[in-house]
Amino acid sequence: MTSQKQMLENNIKNTALIFEGGGMRASYSSGLLYHLLDNHLYFDYAAGISAGASCSVNYLSRDQERAKRSFVDIVKDPLFGGWKSFLAGEGYFRAKYIYEKTPYPDAALPFDFQQFSRNPAELRIGAFEMETGHMKYFSRKDINTLQDLMKIVRASSSLPIFMPPATFNGVQYVDGGLSGGIPLDVAKQDGYNRFFVILTRPKGYRKTPVKHKNIAKAFYRNYPQVAQAMLQRHQLYNETLEELEDLQREGKAFLVYPDEMPVSNMEKNYSKLKRSYELGYQQGKRDISLWKQFLG
């Protein structure tokens, strides 16, 4: 019998897997993720921000079903959130519940931490430090328990204004998407020069400036670095996309764009999210041979 502690094996060593954030748009990413695991495409490095952090940890625990439930079925949970919980100060998405209560056995979204821990792949999760205005990229060395992991994923996923900040080891964080939302920078810093990137916006999309600048400045008047990052985010995001497009032309990146994106980042309609997942699933089924060709 195989030892429960035996490490899992990964077969893609020279390419970084990157998941873009995007809130509930990750329902589409989860449909794509299904085919990575179904075809035993096991990367030795995964990086994610915000919803992409959830995709990364579900991928590394090799749990296709949880990936889907995290961005589709979860909205049926009456404790998931909405404007009522937002007005109560708990966030439009009730983050403490979603990240810190659901991943345990017999809860709504059990997470296989043992399986995750058996996977030797490197992990990077990005979150934005409110006090310093710097990005923090967490790695496995920051994760000793399931609680650590989920606090980090929560920190990466705490939407500015719409969700309360998250605290980990005494430091307050908001959504890592303030750095742009696509963690290409850290994968490059970690020595990678080939990238497989799952995006949550259709090809050709470019982010536009924040419309209500004064709201951001007023809301984060005690954290001007957060407001400034919100105002500059579109520039960082668009620059990263342009760099990725250059890398793709050089044959160093494979960019998986959604054919269409039928949901917003704050979508709570189950039928729409289910359709988004199914569109991602069908696209992955269609394109898997192209993925394998790039990955060798």
Side-chain angles (χ1 to χ4, degrees), residues 19 23 30 38 40 46 50 60 68 94 99 117 128 137 153 165 170 183 189 208-209 223 243 252 254-255 278 293:
F19 287 100
S30 299
D38 199 51
H40 309 293
S50 194
L60 292 181
K68 174 179 178 286
R94 195 179 264 116
Y99 297 104
S117 300
F128 189 88
Y137 278 106
V153 175
Q189 289 167 23
T208 56
Y223 296 96
E243 184 177 356
K252 296 177 180 177
F254 192 103
L255 308 184
E278 288 168 353
Q293 189 177 336

Side-chain angles (χ1 to χ4, degrees), residues 13-14 24 27-28 43 50 62 67 78 80 140 150 157 163 187 189 194 198 215 223 233 243-245 254 269 275:
K13 308 278 189 178
N14 65 340
M24 303 307 286
S27 52
Y28 201 106
F43 290 77
S50 194
R62 300 189 180 175
F80 179 65
R140 284 192 180 271
M150 290 303 163
S157 308
M163 295 166 75
Q189 289 167 23
R194 279 174 56 85
I198 294 184
I215 292 176
Y223 296 96
R233 184 189 174 200
E243 184 177 356
L244 283 170
E245 289 166 1
F254 192 103
N269 182 289
R275 177 173 178 265

Side-chain angles (χ1 to χ4, degrees), residues 110-160:
F111 183 82
D112 191 340
F113 186 71
Q114 185 181 62
Q115 175 97 325
F116 167 84
S117 300
R118 288 172 55 219
N119 191 332
E122 287 292 325
L123 170 66
R124 296 287 183 267
I125 293 176
F128 189 88
E129 291 186 4
M130 295 181 70
E131 195 71 49
T132 66
H134 296 147
M135 274 294 288
K136 165 73 174 177
Y137 278 106
F138 296 96
S139 68
R140 284 192 180 271
K141 72 178 189 298
D142 300 297
I143 302 163
N144 296 307
T145 64
L146 173 60
Q147 186 179 40
D148 287 342
L149 177 62
M150 290 303 163
K151 280 181 178 287
I152 288 168
V153 175
R154 177 184 173 184
S156 182
S157 308
S158 296
L159 285 171

Side-chain angles (χ1 to χ4, degrees), residues 41-283:
L41 297 176
Y42 300 138
F43 290 77
D44 210 33
Y45 181 100
I49 284 176
S50 194
S54 291
C55 289
S56 296
V57 301
N58 288 330
Y59 169 81
L60 292 181
S61 69
R62 300 189 180 175
D63 194 336
Q64 295 155 305
E65 183 59 28
R66 188 179 194 274
K68 174 179 178 286
R69 291 172 63 200
S70 295
F71 292 101
V72 180
D73 304 77
I74 186 66
V75 298
K76 289 185 170 183
D77 190 324
L79 297 177
F80 179 65
W83 290 116
K84 186 176 179 182
S85 63
F86 173 75
L87 293 172
E90 297 175 331
Y92 182 82
F93 300 116
R94 195 179 264 116
K96 185 172 180 64
Y97 171 73
I98 294 168
Y99 297 104
E100 297 186 41
K101 303 295 183 185
T102 66
Y104 293 95
D106 303 322
L109 286 172
F111 183 82
D112 191 340
F113 186 71
Q114 185 181 62
Q115 175 97 325
F116 167 84
S117 300
R118 288 172 55 219
N119 191 332
E122 287 292 325
L123 170 66
R124 296 287 183 267
I125 293 176
F128 189 88
E129 291 186 4
M130 295 181 70
E131 195 71 49
T132 66
H134 296 147
M135 274 294 288
K136 165 73 174 177
Y137 278 106
F138 296 96
S139 68
R140 284 192 180 271
K141 72 178 189 298
D142 300 297
I143 302 163
N144 296 307
T145 64
L146 173 60
Q147 186 179 40
D148 287 342
L149 177 62
M150 290 303 163
K151 280 181 178 287
I152 288 168
V153 175
R154 177 184 173 184
S156 182
S157 308
S158 296
L159 285 171
I161 299 177
F162 291 100
M163 295 166 75
T167 302
F168 183 69
N169 288 344
V171 179
Q172 280 196 311
Y173 297 93
V174 287
D175 199 298
L178 290 185
S179 70
I182 307 170
L184 174 64
D185 56 345
V186 72
K188 287 165 55 184
Q189 289 167 23
D190 288 336
Y192 286 84
N193 56 21
R194 279 174 56 85
F195 313 94
F196 188 89
V197 188
I198 294 184
L199 299 162
T200 56
R201 295 287 199 173
K203 189 173 184 178
Y205 172 82
R206 289 295 186 270
K207 200 173 286 296
T208 56
V210 171
K211 292 179 180 177
H212 306 291
K213 296 180 180 180
N214 290 333
I215 292 176
K217 289 178 179 178
F219 193 90
Y220 289 110
R221 60 189 174 275
N222 295 326
Y223 296 96
Q225 298 91 339
V226 176
Q228 189 63 28
M230 290 176 73
L231 302 186
Q232 293 177 338
R233 184 189 174 200
H234 68 286
Q235 295 172 332
L236 291 170
Y237 180 85
N238 295 341
E239 287 168 6
T240 303
L241 271 184
E242 286 160 16
E243 184 177 356
L244 283 170
E245 289 166 1
D246 287 341
L247 288 165
Q248 180 163 250
R249 281 188 285 271
E250 295 169 14
K252 296 177 180 177
F254 192 103
L255 308 184
V256 183
Y257 298 99
D259 289 338
E260 60 176 290
M261 180 45 65
V263 296
S264 72
N265 65 331
M266 294 173 68
E267 184 61 67
K268 286 181 72 249
N269 182 289
Y270 172 78
S271 296
K272 290 181 180 179
L273 290 165
K274 186 167 181 283
R275 177 173 178 265
S276 175
Y277 174 85
E278 288 168 353
L279 287 170
Y281 177 90
Q282 292 302 329
Q283 182 178 332

